[in-house]
Amino acid sequence: MRKLAVSRWFGGAVLALLLTGCDAPREQVTVHERSAVPDNLSQWHVVEAIDGKLSLNARVVPYDLNTALFTDYAHKLRTVWMPEGSSARYGEADFDYPVGTIISKTFYYPLGENGTVVRTDDYSGDFAGSGLDLSKVKLIETRLLVKRIDGWQALPYVWNDAQTDAVLEIAGDAKRLQLVNANGSAEAFTYVVPDSNQCAGCHADNHAQKAVRPIGPRARHLNKVFDYRDSGVQDGAQNQLLFWQQVGYLTGMPDLADVPRNVAYEDTSASLEERARSYLDINCGHCHNPSGPADTSGLMLYVAERDRRKLGVCKPPVAAGTGSGDRLFAIVPGSPDDSILNFRVESTDPGAMMPELGRSLAHEEGAELLKEWVASLPGNCS
């Protein structure tokens, strides 16, 4: 329900902007030089607060992921923009994006009562016509990835309390929030906006190259249907990759049947193995891969790994300590309570939790999925 709602809204609203330019912000998207990065998000003209709405500019394309990185239950608005006449070149592992590409991700929450924010998978109340309804949501931050000649630049912008603009915060920020659950109970937590070095650390998923790269907008994450309602494109619904091709944002793609695809972790029509592996891939695989920052751990959680030992089954940790929770193996088949992986995913202790950046809360639904998956694995570590 959540992903259908968000894709329907963004598809219908923004495709209209793409095709007609109606209701677009007043100025065109501006790509600023690395040495002249503006202090305000509005100066890029990608997403802007205009007339009580957070609006997307013309040719700014929204997208969604099959399974997304968990960030303290925040809702996310993801967009990509490329300079006129340019396009990304397809690659199974990475797309080769043109210089000048701007990828944005806005983090926000539905507003509750008395200044609280709401934990919900329902996006339907977030919108008003062609924009996020700023009277119903609390904007937290917008992160930009800008493709330069010498690589990607990561820029964190933090929204002001009036929700009129976001300000560049290279050193990051922290927001104290009260998150209200479905049962009405409130949980206090600190939402941490990463600094630019932390952004670069997570996005440099090739430890040898140390180069910042997009993590989400890759073939296996984008390969899904996005409902572009009222667009005239296949009755409003089309595969995102085919749509990117159609509007000139992607070239060189093979037949869609040959493109890899992760599943949505909450999709119970997929196998438990597929759901768990997709979840681990987006939440952990950018570090736990053969060239990632966590390569020395020997624990490989990216989706292509097939060696069960490298995946963690009966694998002892490289270093013991608080991160192991006094458990002996990353994954003990049939026993999530004895598995380091489950302990770290469920923990909120900064010295033990994984991922170690990007969250202050545990993701209950993701933790439950991984618990169910580990419990289903055959064998033992005797």
Side-chain angles (χ1 to χ4, degrees):
M1 290 294 293
R2 175 182 67 83
K3 292 198 174 186
L4 180 60
V6 70
S7 63
R8 278 180 173 171
W9 180 82
F10 284 127
V14 181
L15 189 60
L17 294 180
L18 235 161
L19 298 179
T20 70
C22 294
D23 298 325
R26 298 167 183 83
E27 297 186 42
Q28 294 182 348
V29 172
T30 303
V31 182
H32 298 272
E33 297 296 328
R34 184 187 286 270
S35 59
V37 169
D39 290 334
N40 291 66
L41 177 67
S42 60
Q43 292 173 269
W44 294 90
H45 305 295
V46 175
V47 292
E48 288 184 87
I50 299 175
D51 297 330
K53 296 182 290 187
L54 185 66
S55 300
L56 280 64
N57 210 335
R59 301 184 58 255
V60 174
V61 177
Y63 67 88
D64 196 13
L65 309 180
N66 283 307
T67 290
L69 178 74
F70 171 72
T71 312
D72 288 342
Y73 293 102
H75 287 195
K76 299 172 186 177
L77 184 167
R78 302 173 181 85
T79 75
V80 61
W81 175 90
M82 299 179 205
E84 188 80 46
S86 66
S87 60
R89 181 75 182 175
Y90 177 88
E92 188 169 305
D94 290 291
F95 294 171
D96 183 8
Y97 286 93
V99 172
T101 297
I102 302 175
I103 295 172
S104 84
K105 183 160 62 171
T106 297
F107 299 72
Y108 69 95
Y109 291 90
L111 272 176
E113 297 179 355
N114 302 317
T116 61
V117 296
V118 178
R119 171 181 161 181
T120 176
D121 285 339
D122 184 5
Y123 277 59
S124 62
D126 300 351
F127 317 120
S130 58
L132 284 176
D133 186 341
L134 297 183
S135 69
K136 294 183 178 179
V137 303
K138 181 176 181 61
L139 303 177
I140 305 296
E141 60 164 324
T142 295
R143 303 177 192 173
L144 299 185
L145 279 179
V146 183
K147 181 67 178 292
R148 309 295 192 181
I149 293 175
D150 58 348
W152 291 91
Q153 182 180 20
L155 299 168
Y157 285 85
V158 178
W159 283 90
N160 60 26
D161 291 338
Q163 301 201 132
T164 55
D165 209 342
V167 177
L168 181 65
E169 295 288 356
I170 295 297
D173 199 3
K175 302 280 190 182
R176 292 288 298 168
L177 299 172
Q178 289 276 339
L179 185 68
V180 177
N181 299 321
N183 62 9
S185 63
E187 179 178 7
F189 75 103
T190 300
Y191 181 103
V192 178
V193 178
D195 62 43
S196 57
N197 288 332
Q198 290 172 322
C199 290
C202 283
H203 282 272
D205 62 350
N206 186 310
H207 192 52
Q209 296 177 0
K210 300 186 185 300
V212 173
R213 299 189 295 186
I215 295 172
R218 294 172 172 173
R220 65 185 183 274
H221 303 308
L222 292 171
N223 188 4
K224 61 170 290 184
V225 171
F226 194 104
D227 193 349
Y228 299 97
R229 177 179 283 187
D230 300 326
S231 67
V233 180
Q234 294 186 3
D235 295 327
Q238 185 168 0
N239 181 278
Q240 290 185 121
L241 296 174
L242 294 179
F243 181 71
W244 282 32
Q245 271 191 322
Q246 178 179 312
V247 299
Y249 272 13
L250 185 62
T251 62
M253 192 176 80
D255 290 340
L256 190 61
D258 297 324
V259 176
R261 184 181 71 88
N262 280 14
V263 303
Y265 86 90
E266 68 268 50
D267 180 7
T268 55
S269 69
S271 71
L272 183 58
E273 173 84 5
E274 289 176 312
R275 294 167 60 208
R277 294 300 308 278
S278 291
Y279 185 86
L280 290 171
D281 185 39
I282 193 67
N283 282 278
C284 313
H286 53 282
C287 284
H288 287 273
N289 67 76
S291 59
D295 60 342
T296 56
S297 71
L299 182 62
M300 302 292 111
L301 299 177
Y302 71 118
V303 75
E305 185 58 66
R306 290 293 175 262
D307 186 316
R308 303 302 272 185
R309 178 80 164 188
K310 292 180 180 179
L311 187 57
V313 176
C314 299
K315 180 193 174 303
V318 170
T322 57
S324 69
D326 296 323
R327 291 155 175 80
L328 299 178
F329 303 105
I331 293 176
V332 178
S335 185
D337 289 341
D338 295 319
S339 300
I340 298 171
L341 182 144
N342 298 94
F343 167 71
R344 302 196 76 170
V345 167
E346 295 169 13
S347 176
T348 55
D349 179 351
M353 70 181 190
M354 283 290 173
E356 59 187 355
L357 295 174
R359 71 175 180 92
S360 299
L361 303 173
H363 186 200
E364 294 177 11
E365 295 80 2
E368 186 60 34
L369 168 66
L370 295 179
K371 183 179 292 186
E372 185 180 354
W373 174 60
V374 171
S376 73
L377 296 177
N380 59 71
C381 298
S382 299

